[in-house]
């Protein structure tokens, strides 16, 4: 029985032990599985985090790339040990901009910076390297071709430092700002023009009111007393004074009309090109002025080898210029001669000149004489507009005006226009 019992117990125990082992093994497997699943989950989470991080870095690279592309930048770095500059990206669109070949040193870059900007940019980069500043933002001109520079703007900063904390690499961006600079220049010019117009308006009002009042007073005064004058000779004198002042007034209005045309910038639109005999025009012009000459101490003459020179240009403008040169010569010459003539220059342009033996013009006024309202002597009659009109008219004819003068000896003013002469002697 015992044996039986023992055997039964043994069998029973043996069977239970097997179950126990199996159960434990099962539990171990379950633990391992759970552990494995947890581990897997953790690994997946880490991987997901890393992937997300990678994606964000990638996203930032794309953003960064897009920004430098949209802003048309070039990005570069300078290795401070070798002082080599390397362009990493270049999205600038203009042609011929500086983009270094491999192995380009900063010294070579400085050589093509405009001489006026070179020291400034060198100092700024030095300040960055030596820690006096954290960021450089500079605008300077770089050579594009032998005689042409373009404007560039750079931003740069230290990107890497060595073990001692000294800058090792500088990174930066370059942008071509030629268009922006051009607009800046245009705006500055527009502002100057507006200020100049404002100044001219004031000068115009004060000059013209004086210049108009003087002949107008003479006209009004003399016409008022004319009915009371019975002597014929005296009446004739008064009439000639009134006439003279009438023409002065007319001339002032002519200057005013012309200057306002120039101000409105439509002087080219009003050109009236026609064929005419330049020799005859100058002859008539000088003769008219000579008829008005009241100074017996000056001879006014026109000299020309040719009797006819057919030109194709604006007759009124040429006449205005020649007449003004002769009138000025008469105003500033008390003794000697005034001679007008025609010649062809070495650059094959027609030169219409008027030379006088008058007071001449001091060197210090030479650059200003063609400016509006400029007069060497403010007490001399005239608004100082005539030569400014002459210059604008000359330019509208594809020509120019200029002069030579020596104080005490005289002056020579001339107009040069393109030579399209047909001679007919
Ligand atoms: P305006 O219209 O008053 O005649 P301009 O513009 O013609 O004035 O001339 C400006 C200034 O240039 C004159 O006020 C004078 O000082 C100088 N100038 C012009 N022509 C001569 C000349 N032939 N000789 C000496 N000075 C001259």
């Amino acid at each position: 029985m015992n044996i039986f019992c023992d055997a039964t117990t043994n069998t029973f125990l043996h069977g239970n032990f097997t179950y126990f082992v199996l159960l434990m093994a099962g539990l171990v497997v379950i633990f391992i599985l759970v552990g494995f699943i947890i581990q897997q989950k953790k690994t997946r989470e880490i991987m997901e985090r890393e992937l997300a991080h990678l994606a964000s870095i990638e996203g930032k690279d794309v953003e960064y790339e897009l920004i430098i592309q949209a802003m048309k930048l070039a990005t570069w770095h300078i290795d401070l040990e070798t002082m080599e500059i390397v362009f990493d990206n270049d999205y600038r669109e203009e042609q011929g901009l500086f983009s270094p070949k491999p192995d380009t040193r900063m010294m070579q870059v400085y050589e093509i910076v405009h001489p006026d900007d070179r020291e400034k940019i060198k100092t700024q980069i030095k300040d960055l390297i030596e820690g006096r500043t954290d960021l450089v933002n500079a605008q300077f001109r770089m050579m594009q071709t032998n005689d042409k520079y373009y404007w560039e703007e750079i931003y740069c900063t230290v990107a890497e430092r060595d073990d001692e904390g000294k800058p090792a690499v500088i990174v930066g961006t370059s942008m071509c700002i030629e268009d922006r600079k051009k607009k800046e220049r245009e705006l500055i010019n527009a502002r100057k023009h507006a200020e100049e117009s404002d100044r001219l308006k004031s000068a115009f009002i004060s000059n013209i009111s004086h210049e108009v009042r003087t002949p107008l007073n003479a006209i009004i005064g003399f016409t008022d007393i004319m009915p009371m004058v019975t002597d014929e000779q005296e009446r004739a004198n008064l009439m000639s004074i009134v006439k003279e002042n009438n023409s002065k007034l007319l001339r002032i209005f002519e200057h005013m009309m012309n200057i306002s045309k120039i101000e409105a910038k439509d002087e080219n639109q009003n050109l009236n090109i026609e064929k005419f005999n330049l020799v005859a025009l100058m002859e008539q012009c000088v003769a008219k002025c000579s008829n008005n000459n009241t100074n017996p101490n000056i001879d006014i003459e026109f000299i020309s080898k040719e009797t006819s020179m057919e030109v194709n240009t604006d007759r009124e403008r040429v006449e205005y210029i020649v007449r003004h040169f002769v009138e000025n010569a008469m105003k500033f010459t008390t003794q000697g001669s005034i001679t007008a003539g025609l010649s062809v220059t070495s650059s094959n342009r027609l030169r219409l000149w008027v030379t006088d033996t008058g007071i001449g013009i001091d060197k210090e006024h030479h650059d200003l004489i063609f400016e509006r309202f400029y007069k060497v002597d403010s007490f001399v009659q005239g608004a100082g507009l005539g030569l400014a009109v002459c210059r604008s008219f000359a330019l509208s004819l594809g020509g120019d005006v200029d002069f030579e003068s020596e104080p005490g000896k005289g002056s020579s003013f001339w107009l040069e226009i393109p030579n399209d002469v047909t001679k007919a002697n």
Side-chain angles (χ1 to χ4, degrees):
M1 185 69 186
N2 256 349
I3 290 167
F4 176 77
C5 257
D6 278 344
T8 314
T9 309
N10 264 349
T11 313
F12 174 76
L13 279 176
H14 187 252
N16 273 354
F17 180 72
T18 309
Y19 282 130
F20 178 73
V21 169
L22 282 173
L23 186 70
M24 288 310 285
L27 280 173
V28 168
V29 169
I30 287 168
F31 275 131
I32 289 170
L33 268 174
V34 169
F36 180 73
I37 289 166
I38 290 170
Q39 187 59 40
Q40 280 284 302
K41 203 176 163 221
K42 269 190 186 159
T43 312
R44 204 172 57 234
E45 273 173 11
I46 290 167
M47 277 177 74
E48 273 172 4
R49 264 207 310 276
E50 274 177 5
L51 276 173
H53 181 60
L54 272 174
S56 84
I57 289 173
E58 225 169 69
K60 275 195 188 116
D61 269 355
V62 173
E63 263 173 45
Y64 163 78
E65 195 86 9
L66 200 66
I67 290 167
I68 57 170
Q69 198 171 347
M71 295 195 67
K72 301 187 176 73
L73 296 176
T75 56
W76 41 264
H77 66 268
I78 306 168
D79 180 335
L80 294 180
E81 199 183 331
T82 57
M83 285 309 270
E84 184 191 357
I85 180 165
V86 176
F87 268 42
D88 306 306
N89 290 292
D90 195 349
Y91 290 109
R92 297 168 306 166
E93 285 170 353
E94 293 80 358
Q95 297 297 306
L97 306 184
F98 169 72
S99 187
K101 293 186 180 77
D103 220 20
T104 300
R105 311 284 130 161
M106 279 306 285
M107 286 315 288
Q108 293 163 271
V109 180
Y110 291 140
E111 273 166 28
I112 55 164
V113 173
H114 192 286
D116 293 351
D117 304 334
R118 197 173 294 151
E119 279 316 307
K120 197 172 138 214
I121 184 67
K122 264 181 165 177
T123 311
Q124 282 177 290
I125 299 281
K126 196 165 176 246
D127 284 348
L128 182 68
I129 296 172
E130 292 175 5
R132 284 186 288 278
T133 180
D134 296 329
L135 178 80
V136 170
N137 171 214
Q139 296 183 356
F140 52 90
R141 284 156 291 178
M142 290 285 275
M143 192 182 278
Q144 193 164 6
T145 53
N146 272 350
D147 52 352
K148 195 179 160 205
Y149 285 84
Y150 68 93
W151 276 96
E152 175 155 281
E153 179 169 37
I154 62 158
Y155 279 89
C156 59
T157 190
V158 174
E160 278 176 36
R161 292 178 184 273
D162 62 15
D163 298 342
E164 291 167 17
K166 285 189 192 144
V169 176
I170 288 177
V171 291
T173 61
S174 297
M175 181 193 258
C176 176
I177 53 164
E178 190 52 35
D179 280 352
R180 197 204 302 170
K181 283 283 174 188
K182 201 171 143 206
K183 285 198 182 95
E184 248 175 57
R185 285 194 293 270
E186 281 168 7
L187 279 175
I188 290 169
N189 285 341
R191 198 188 62 194
K192 271 195 198 149
H193 186 72
E195 284 170 359
E196 175 70 355
S197 296
D198 203 41
R199 188 188 69 76
L200 283 179
K201 213 162 54 188
S202 316
F204 187 76
I205 289 163
S206 68
N207 270 291
I208 291 298
S209 58
H210 170 75
E211 288 304 317
V212 169
R213 215 178 301 136
T214 316
L216 211 55
N217 280 341
I219 295 166
I220 294 167
F222 290 123
T223 41
D224 268 355
I225 58 166
M226 201 118 52
M228 289 167 273
V229 177
T230 46
D231 182 65
E232 274 307 306
Q233 184 56 44
E234 213 175 320
R235 276 174 73 87
N237 284 345
L238 290 180
M239 272 304 287
S240 89
I241 295 172
V242 169
K243 262 189 182 168
E244 192 188 315
N245 281 288
N246 273 343
S247 354
K248 277 185 188 162
L249 209 54
L250 210 65
R251 196 68 175 150
I252 288 166
F253 279 108
E254 214 179 326
H255 287 329
M256 278 163 54
M257 296 297 289
N258 288 330
I259 211 85
S260 65
K261 262 192 226 164
I262 293 161
E263 270 292 287
K265 291 218 179 303
D266 67 348
E267 73 266 38
N268 288 336
Q269 289 159 24
N270 293 335
L271 274 183
N272 189 8
I273 306 293
E274 59 184 308
K275 218 175 189 139
F276 63 92
N277 180 355
L278 190 58
V279 179
L281 176 97
M282 281 196 78
E283 208 164 16
Q284 285 157 17
C285 211
V286 174
K288 258 192 219 164
C289 294
S290 183
N291 287 342
N292 294 335
N293 177 31
T294 49
N295 182 349
N297 299 323
I298 48 172
D299 292 326
I300 303 177
E301 61 168 347
F302 168 66
I303 48 170
S304 170
K305 281 187 271 165
E306 320 288 342
T307 52
S308 176
M309 276 175 143
E310 292 278 327
V311 289
N312 216 19
T313 185
D314 189 309
R315 183 192 165 93
E316 267 183 39
R317 290 187 182 201
V318 171
E319 186 177 357
Y320 178 95
I321 298 169
V322 174
R323 189 175 148 203
H324 193 69
F325 285 169
V326 180
E327 281 177 351
N328 269 353
M330 287 163 69
K331 212 155 61 176
F332 297 103
T333 309
T334 47
Q335 203 153 10
S337 64
I338 295 168
T339 315
L342 267 162
S343 54
V344 178
T345 67
S346 54
S347 50
N348 193 28
R349 280 157 76 87
L350 275 183
R351 183 178 281 197
L352 292 64
W353 50 266
V354 176
T355 301
D356 65 57
T357 55
I359 60 169
I361 302 163
D362 210 87
K363 265 248 168 318
E364 64 176 293
H365 304 286
H366 280 206
D367 289 343
L368 299 159
I369 222 76
F370 289 105
E371 294 295 320
R372 284 169 226 183
F373 301 111
Y374 193 80
K375 300 202 291 189
V376 173
D377 180 353
S378 56
F379 292 107
V380 169
Q381 181 243 323
L385 282 173
L387 288 180
V389 176
C390 289
R391 183 175 59 179
S392 292
F393 275 4
L395 293 175
S396 74
L397 302 176
D400 208 347
V401 283
D402 209 347
F403 75 104
E404 277 172 355
S405 186
E406 219 181 303
K409 290 203 169 162
S411 314
S412 187
F413 280 81
W414 62 84
L415 157 71
E416 272 181 24
I417 48 172
N419 183 4
D420 63 347
V421 167
T422 334
K423 282 186 201 168
N425 275 319

